[in-house]
Amino acid sequence: MNLEEIKSTLEAAIPGCSPQIVTNGSPSGQHSLLLDREHAFVAAMFLRDDPTLCLDYCSNVTGLDWLDTETSEKVKVTQLVDGVEKEVDEVRKTRTPGYLEAVYHLYSMQKKHGPLVVRLRTENRTDSVHLPSFTPIWRSAEFQEREVFDLFGIIFDGHPDLRRILMWDEFEDHPMRKDYVEPDDYEYEPTPHDAVLKKALEHRNRISTPDGQGA
Amino acid sequence: MLGEGIAKGLIETARNFLGSYVNKDRLTTVQYPEQRLPQAEATRDFPFLVYDGEDWQAGLRCVGCQICEKECPPKCIFIEKSTDKKPDAVGKPQFYPAVFNIDISVCMSCQICVEVCPFDAIKMDTAFELSTVDRFGGLLWDKARLAKPNQHYHHVHPTEAAEVDGRLAEERAKADAKAKAAAEAKTSAPPPAAPPAAPPANSGVSSTS
Amino acid sequence: MSTSMEASTPAAHQGFADATMIDHESDLLQISLGPHHPSTHGVFRMDVVLDGERVVKLKPVFGYLHRNHEKIAESTTYLASIPYTDRLDYMCSLSNNWAYALSVEKLAGLQVPERAEYIRVIAAELTRLQNHASTIGFLMQEMGASGTPLMYAFREREKILDLFEALTGSRMMCNYMRFGGCRVDLPAGWLDQARKTVDEYPRFLDEFESLLASNEILLARTQGVGVLPPKLAIQGGVTGPILRASGVNYDIRKVDRYGIYERFDFKVPLGEHGDVYDRYMIRMLEMRESLKILDQALHQITPGPIIDPKAKIRGFRPKPGEAYGRIESPKGELGFYLISDGTPNPYRYRVRPPSLINLTVLEDMCLGSSLADTVVIFGTIDIVLGEVDR
Ligand code: SF4
Ligand code: SF4
């Protein structure tokens, strides 16, 4: 089954489900299927249980971070200038809000085919970062979804045990996000000629000045 | 019979133990500081800078292009390029590294600097007993410590060094011929000016190591 | 090993989301096994709740070796990540190199010359030999056979590492494969040396087998212990020898036929019971199959180029797009998921670590068995913490 067929099968089997095909420009030709959040869980269940697809093995789960992008384009608008209608150039900025994405690579151990790449997108990167968890469908997603939660901050609803996995529990922030800033807490000895040396010096200066925040 | 498997295993152990008295193959341990195994030719650990001729200052092949500094994965090379030019081993004026440091406490012996250097200036050494009590100074190697003669390169990696020397000689001969042709063309017809002999460009395909 | 009756001490309770569940009045004992414990193969911790000798709950805790390998790779070039992949599963650096190179080749559409493919197969199978031998050695160590089997395995491993050193310059951190081929050609005499090692290897396997296979203590400690049913194995995403020991026929060398594996004649050994003994036996049998592949590859290899002329070392910029490539590493399915945005650095670089995902089913395998068996079951999963924590 190719991606088009899977898409139409899903649309037929699950009312309201509207998967989209995301094309991939590289020679690998691994295009993916974007599922909507509401129907993702049912759709994933269907992908696993459908006898022809039988995607019983979820190999890889990972997160992606797409920052907000700002594109500016010039548009011509007609404006009333001194009583005369004129065409004026105006720069319009469109802000596309970023989002977080979870990517699943599904294979079939029984039928030995794959991969089917499934993507899910959150609404934005800040407050609405919920996605349905696939752990109840494929146990192999358990640790990997925890890792995505830990490093990217996607909250998987329905995950049985969503805790930090690689970072320590008290850690805040999500280090794999593209806008992650390293905390200024250098304790270790820097090495010569290293960027660390500069940062450590700055840090030391900051904490030694009386009104420094770090002291 | 219970215990048969255990007995079989014990016989195997005994065969190895007693065999080590008669069979050299079974005696695999080497008494290290006194006894040393030969090193493979490809062995690598930390980089050194190659120089031609007698004087390491004059003969350094490195032109301070800083490519290796950029490509080194843990960023342990530190180079300051000179502002003036000095004649290199064949007398062509070239930049040179005013400072060339490698922090070998960070270096992971990956050989990427060797691969990307277009001038065959940096190569991997095989010396490994480098422990020191000075963690920072002792492991930060400067230009003087890193410079080793081409003979040393021939000593540690003979096949590779012969190949590199052959290639360099060929390139030099080509550059000479070009310069000569350009000079002749110049005498017969003054313009246009001869293009400067280009440094051997790194095609990026053939690895130099 | 530190014992603690009180779930309120922070270190002990960290692993449990629902620490309140533990009834302090009962006989349940909470133990933190590791992270500095000889049986945990590095810095790995298991929070175990025991009822007498029986395990009633087990949560693995990791991250002690976390260095955010993926972030490092995203802030450096494609080439500069190759030496870092060596350090994932440091027992099998050549397999890691291959998985990464394979993914980049998919991403950029590079062709690998035939000789390079042969060298890759030879390198990867040698890696499998030494990994499986030392895994079994460590497993026996955990069962109490201190020294002998492990040292025998290491003696053989040494010969293979010598081959790696002669080929790549380094024994463990090989940094050998490049996008579209390999870094250097085989040195003179290497093939003969490799053939000799491969020919002598069965002698070691026979010796190893008569040392262990019918040992009554080994049988008693392994048969019927830590059974992993095939359904759970598939569900848990388990791959590699553990999956096949449960009787699931899934070997990526056969399924994906990446590289030139379709040219070789070899079998995929399968287990029946999915217990510790099967997992041990599968590794023994896989070594024999690897020897078959090696024997064919070492005789078929022909001279030729070793790298795709289109491949560039510096300034490598694949077109925007993404690719997921995977290989059958000795530990299981090792995959790399890469996204390029047209710059010299990957936009996303993800490692699918078999060691981490195989741990998903550790609790299920251990429930109800004794603490001593837990250590043995854990040993058969064969993890390397460099890969688990990344
Ligand atoms: S790449 Fe070679 S020539 Fe350039 S700075 Fe490094 S060692 Fe010197
Ligand atoms: S060997 Fe690797 S780590 Fe060491 S200086 Fe060269 S590029 Fe850097």
Side-chain angles (χ1 to χ4, degrees):
Chain A
M1 247 202 245
N2 63 23
L3 219 51
E4 296 283 344
E5 285 164 3
I6 296 174
K7 181 177 176 238
S8 43
T9 323
L10 273 179
E11 276 165 353
I14 302 156
C17 179
S18 56
Q20 290 166 29
I21 292 175
V22 182
T23 49
N24 170 7
S26 93
S28 72
Q30 292 168 343
H31 307 296
S32 46
L33 206 61
L34 177 68
L35 298 179
D36 53 323
R37 281 187 296 281
E38 287 74 45
H39 300 95
F41 189 81
V42 198
M45 196 81 110
F46 177 81
L47 292 176
R48 187 193 64 179
D49 295 336
D50 184 69
T52 46
L53 280 170
C54 195
L55 294 162
D56 52 6
Y57 165 45
C58 172
S59 156
N60 180 38
V61 183
T62 187
L64 291 176
D65 181 14
W66 301 97
L67 292 172
D68 302 356
T69 46
E70 205 167 67
T71 47
S72 50
E73 49 173 354
K74 268 192 188 155
V75 281
K76 292 218 190 311
V77 284
T78 42
Q79 258 183 356
L80 229 56
V81 184
D82 307 328
V84 194
E85 249 186 35
K86 254 191 186 172
E87 275 211 339
V88 190
D89 279 351
E90 198 183 85
V91 180
R92 236 184 238 168
K93 281 198 177 140
T94 35
R95 218 177 140 72
T96 327
Y99 49 84
L100 300 169
E101 196 168 71
V103 184
Y104 295 79
H105 286 81
L106 309 177
Y107 287 85
S108 171
M109 277 199 184
Q110 203 181 329
K111 305 249 168 188
K112 306 215 168 26
H113 58 73
L116 174 70
V117 191
V118 169
R119 318 178 93 89
L120 298 177
R121 284 180 187 166
T122 63
E123 221 169 296
N124 56 27
R125 309 179 57 247
T126 45
D127 50 351
S128 182
V129 288
H130 290 259
L131 286 181
S133 167
F134 285 173
T135 305
I137 306 175
W138 294 286
R139 275 269 316 269
S140 53
E142 183 179 344
F143 285 171
Q144 303 189 70
E145 280 181 351
R146 269 177 74 185
E147 192 186 316
V148 174
F149 162 72
D150 187 356
L151 303 181
F152 286 90
I154 301 179
I155 299 169
F156 290 95
D157 298 324
H159 191 287
D161 183 20
L162 198 64
R163 287 178 289 126
R164 287 196 175 270
I165 186 167
L166 294 174
M167 308 301 285
W168 54 103
D169 287 348
E170 294 75 26
F171 189 79
E172 284 160 15
D173 211 347
H174 304 287
M176 279 303 283
R177 289 207 183 180
K178 289 280 167 187
D179 54 0
Y180 172 75
V181 189
E182 276 174 56
D184 175 35
D185 56 357
Y186 286 92
E187 280 171 15
Y188 50 93
E189 283 288 341
T191 54
H193 301 313
D194 201 331
V196 177
L197 178 69
K198 229 172 79 197
K199 282 191 201 164
L201 270 179
E202 279 168 17
H203 174 74
R204 223 171 281 158
N205 290 342
R206 201 166 312 135
I207 55 172
S208 60
T209 47
D211 54 334
Q213 329 105 305
Chain B
M1 191 192 80
L2 190 69
E4 204 181 313
I6 297 177
K8 231 167 116 187
L10 284 176
I11 291 169
E12 200 56 57
T13 320
R15 190 156 52 219
N16 267 283
F17 173 64
L18 296 173
S20 66
Y21 284 97
V22 285
N23 190 345
K24 273 266 183 303
D25 281 354
R26 291 204 189 265
L27 198 65
T28 41
T29 313
V30 171
Q31 302 298 329
Y32 158 61
E34 294 85 32
Q35 214 181 340
R36 278 156 198 267
L37 289 173
Q39 277 182 301
E41 211 193 304
T43 307
R44 60 170 200 253
D45 37 47
F46 294 110
F48 68 95
L49 294 172
V50 189
Y51 66 85
D52 296 311
E54 294 301 311
D55 179 13
W56 72 267
Q57 302 260 28
L60 219 53
R61 285 186 195 165
C62 175
V63 299
C65 68
Q66 294 178 306
I67 290 173
C68 54
E69 187 186 25
K70 273 189 217 96
E71 296 284 336
C72 169
K75 304 274 176 281
C76 64
I77 306 181
F78 179 82
I79 299 173
E80 257 172 41
K81 200 172 173 166
S82 64
T83 44
D84 56 327
K85 286 191 178 185
K86 259 193 342 197
D88 67 0
V90 288
K92 201 156 53 127
Q94 291 275 26
F95 289 111
Y96 59 96
V99 178
F100 194 119
N101 288 346
I102 295 183
D103 184 353
I104 65 155
S105 67
V106 175
C107 174
M108 59 177 179
S109 313
C110 66
Q111 204 173 19
I112 283 191
C113 48
V114 176
E115 260 169 88
V116 297
C117 176
F119 302 92
D120 286 305
I122 190 164
K123 295 289 167 200
M124 295 309 271
D125 207 344
T126 54
F128 56 91
E129 288 151 320
L130 304 165
S131 48
T132 160
V133 286
D134 180 4
R135 206 170 113 218
F136 292 109
L139 293 174
L140 181 71
W141 289 6
D142 59 6
K143 210 163 58 161
R145 169 102 202 238
L146 287 168
K148 303 244 170 86
N150 197 14
Q151 286 86 312
H152 177 73
Y153 184 31
H154 277 274
H155 178 66
V156 291
H157 304 301
T159 333
E160 211 184 282
E163 195 194 309
V164 168
D165 271 9
R167 197 173 61 235
L168 283 182
E170 212 172 276
E171 271 158 9
R172 266 178 205 151
K174 251 193 227 160
D176 281 350
K178 226 169 152 189
K180 227 190 206 163
E184 272 167 21
K186 217 173 175 181
T187 46
S188 54
N202 179 29
S203 61
V205 175
S206 58
S207 76
T208 53
S209 48
Chain C
M1 196 188 295
S2 72
T3 58
S4 149
M5 296 287 276
E6 276 182 314
S8 57
T9 51
H13 115 260
Q14 213 178 34
F16 294 105
D18 46 356
T20 43
M21 253 180 60
I22 299 158
D23 183 6
H24 299 289
E25 307 306 311
S26 79
D27 282 318
L28 290 188
L29 178 67
Q30 185 176 337
I31 291 179
S32 168
L33 189 63
H36 290 289
H37 190 269
S39 77
T40 56
H41 295 221
V43 277
F44 174 81
R45 187 155 73 90
M46 289 183 265
D47 267 332
V48 193
V49 179
L50 291 177
D51 179 6
E53 260 290 290
R54 305 277 139 207
V55 176
V56 293
K57 190 166 181 177
L58 184 150
K59 290 282 173 207
V61 182
F62 23 64
Y64 298 97
L65 218 59
H66 182 54
R67 54 216 186 265
N68 221 338
H69 171 75
E70 295 177 5
K71 190 99 183 170
I72 296 172
E74 281 169 23
S75 54
T76 180
T77 57
Y78 284 89
L79 172 71
S81 296
I82 300 180
Y84 287 126
T85 63
D86 291 341
R87 281 130 179 109
L88 283 171
D89 172 0
Y90 41 77
M91 299 287 278
C92 318
S93 65
L94 284 162
S95 312
N96 301 348
N97 284 180
W98 192 2
Y100 179 52
L102 188 85
S103 308
V104 177
E105 281 148 17
K106 278 194 175 180
L107 184 68
L110 297 171
Q111 296 301 320
V112 184
E114 188 177 320
R115 184 175 175 86
E117 291 278 26
Y118 272 108
I119 299 177
R120 286 177 175 196
V121 168
I122 294 168
E125 294 306 323
L126 285 172
T127 306
R128 196 180 315 275
L129 284 183
Q130 55 98 356
N131 179 73
H132 282 358
S134 23
T135 302
I136 296 173
F138 280 120
L139 178 67
M140 298 305 146
Q141 176 103 339
E142 269 144 24
M143 254 179 260
S146 44
T148 314
L150 183 63
M151 285 308 132
Y152 285 14
F154 268 35
R155 187 187 63 202
E156 295 311 303
R157 178 170 180 254
E158 205 62 18
K159 293 179 190 159
I160 293 173
L161 293 188
D162 283 347
L163 284 174
F164 288 169
E165 184 174 10
L167 174 60
T168 71
S170 186
R171 296 154 55 79
M172 288 175 79
M173 303 299 143
C174 297
N175 182 20
Y176 177 60
M177 288 173 202
R178 290 289 176 269
F179 319 135
C182 297
R183 182 161 58 79
V184 284
D185 207 346
L186 301 175
W190 193 87
L191 278 176
D192 295 329
Q193 184 67 30
R195 278 184 205 124
K196 187 163 160 266
T197 308
V198 167
D199 289 344
E200 281 173 2
Y201 208 83
R203 209 187 84 196
F204 157 69
L205 285 183
D206 293 341
E207 186 183 289
F208 217 41
E209 218 146 73
S210 64
L211 182 70
L212 299 168
S214 55
N215 186 311
E216 283 80 5
I217 303 173
L218 178 88
L219 298 183
R221 287 292 306 273
T222 55
Q223 287 184 335
V225 172
V227 175
L228 178 66
K231 256 196 131 141
L232 180 66
I234 296 176
Q235 172 77 352
V238 171
T239 43
I242 321 172
L243 176 72
R244 293 189 285 275
S246 293
V248 183
N249 185 357
Y250 197 76
D251 186 320
I252 298 169
R253 289 174 294 175
K254 288 278 191 197
V255 175
D256 279 11
R257 300 180 166 265
Y258 63 92
I260 48 164
Y261 271 114
E262 77 271 4
R263 293 192 195 175
F264 304 115
D265 168 36
F266 68 101
K267 294 199 183 68
V268 179
L270 295 178
E272 259 174 40
H273 310 284
D275 56 4
V276 170
Y277 186 76
D278 275 9
R279 275 171 240 149
Y280 149 71
M281 217 49 211
I282 285 281
R283 293 200 167 93
M284 291 301 282
L285 296 173
E286 270 190 14
M287 282 198 271
R288 299 215 185 253
E289 295 303 317
S290 288
L291 285 173
K292 268 198 218 163
I293 300 177
L294 276 169
D295 195 46
Q296 294 167 50
L298 285 168
H299 287 96
Q300 285 171 17
I301 186 166
T302 48
I306 53 154
I307 196 156
D308 183 352
K310 272 198 299 181
K312 281 202 290 184
I313 284 198
R314 279 177 49 218
F316 179 73
R317 280 182 195 164
K319 274 195 295 182
E322 61 173 57
Y324 178 69
R326 55 180 200 160
I327 69 160
E328 179 75 34
S329 98
K331 306 252 180 337
E333 173 188 335
L334 176 66
F336 281 81
Y337 175 58
L338 300 165
I339 297 186
S340 161
D341 57 352
T343 55
N345 303 350
Y347 184 81
R348 179 78 179 101
Y349 168 105
R350 148 89 181 159
V351 190
R352 185 221 185 260
S355 297
L356 172 75
I357 294 159
N358 289 353
L359 282 173
T360 312
V361 291
L362 176 64
E363 186 177 10
D364 305 70
M365 290 197 277
C366 293
L367 286 186
S369 53
S370 66
L371 186 66
D373 285 345
T374 302
V375 171
V376 176
I377 295 166
F378 175 73
T380 52
I381 297 185
D382 183 17
I383 65 162
V384 160
L385 266 298
E387 188 177 74
V388 172
D389 292 343
R390 283 160 296 138

